Amino acid sequence: CNLQPKDAAKMPESAWKLFFYTLSWSYGIYLLFFTDYTFFHDPPSVFYGWQKGMEVPTDIAVAYLLQCSFYGHSIYATAYMDTWRKDSVVMLLHHVVTLTLIAFSYAFRAGAAGDTRLSWVKPPWVPRGPWAPLTPGCSLCPGRFWFRLYWFPLKVLYATSHSSLQVVPNIPFYFFFNALLFILTLMNIYWFLYIVQFVAKVLMGQMQEVNDVREYDVVDSKKT
């Protein structure tokens, strides 16, 4: 693909994340829209009939296993394999919080919390020209706002913070789960601001090619 050395070094990371998110997103679409689950259109339904020790359906358990394995690996990968960026510490915290939510929600059968991440991929086929850098920003900015800052609070946070108490008044670990979900919301805002910064730099002519604004100006080949 005639990649520059800097981009070639990041290609395995981007390719792996593209593969995994395509797989997990497709499976999530299947669960939400091609099964009898009504979690998307009626988020409080995840709490209907809730009881301690209830059985987890096999297809839901597969989703748990898939996500738990990925985020468990991601903690190690972010620290020791991926390119170190300005937000890498926040990314590590994100993985720990997400893994904790996944594991504890499975253990206590509180499977209302879902989380999707944005993968920053710089493909070699990005259009060229003075407005080319704006192409990924224009797609990432509204997409991230719609899914992370609109649907996530509207469907997930509303269900876990309000509907859960209406359906199960004494639901255990209420504050624990919601505190972690609100932490994820703050991280969503944090990463959305990076996208806004990227688009602003392009519009003001400060960026002539597609660069990840989270990366340092000089990236060391080794990190301590």
Side-chain angles (χ1 to χ4, degrees), residues 102-203:
I102 293 172
F104 276 81
S105 66
Y106 182 85
F108 296 102
R109 307 301 192 256
D115 177 54
T116 54
R117 277 192 53 244
L118 170 69
S119 179
W120 294 68
V121 180
K122 178 186 175 183
W125 54 86
V126 169
R128 301 298 175 186
W131 292 99
L134 198 55
T135 305
C138 287
S139 60
L140 288 175
C141 197
R144 188 170 184 87
F145 176 84
W146 186 257
F147 288 102
R148 298 297 195 94
L149 301 181
Y150 177 72
W151 268 354
F152 186 78
L154 181 67
K155 294 184 177 292
V156 177
L157 292 183
Y158 181 80
T160 58
S161 62
H162 176 73
S163 302
S164 61
L165 290 179
Q166 304 299 315
V167 179
V168 188
N170 297 318
I171 189 167
F173 297 96
Y174 171 83
F175 291 103
F176 173 74
F177 284 120
N178 282 285
L180 294 182
L181 287 170
F182 274 98
I183 290 175
L184 288 182
T185 303
L186 293 177
M187 293 182 186
N188 290 338
I189 297 173
Y190 170 78
W191 277 306
F192 181 74
L193 294 178
Y194 267 116
I195 302 176
V196 173
Q197 178 187 4
F198 170 82
V199 174
K201 283 189 174 183
V202 174
L203 291 177

Side-chain angles (χ1 to χ4, degrees), residues 6 15 26 42 45 47 61 142 154 167 174 179 192 201 205 214 217:
K6 177 183 176 182
S26 300
D42 184 22
S45 66
F47 295 106
L154 181 67
V167 179
Y174 171 83
F192 181 74
K201 283 189 174 183
R214 302 170 306 153
D217 293 334

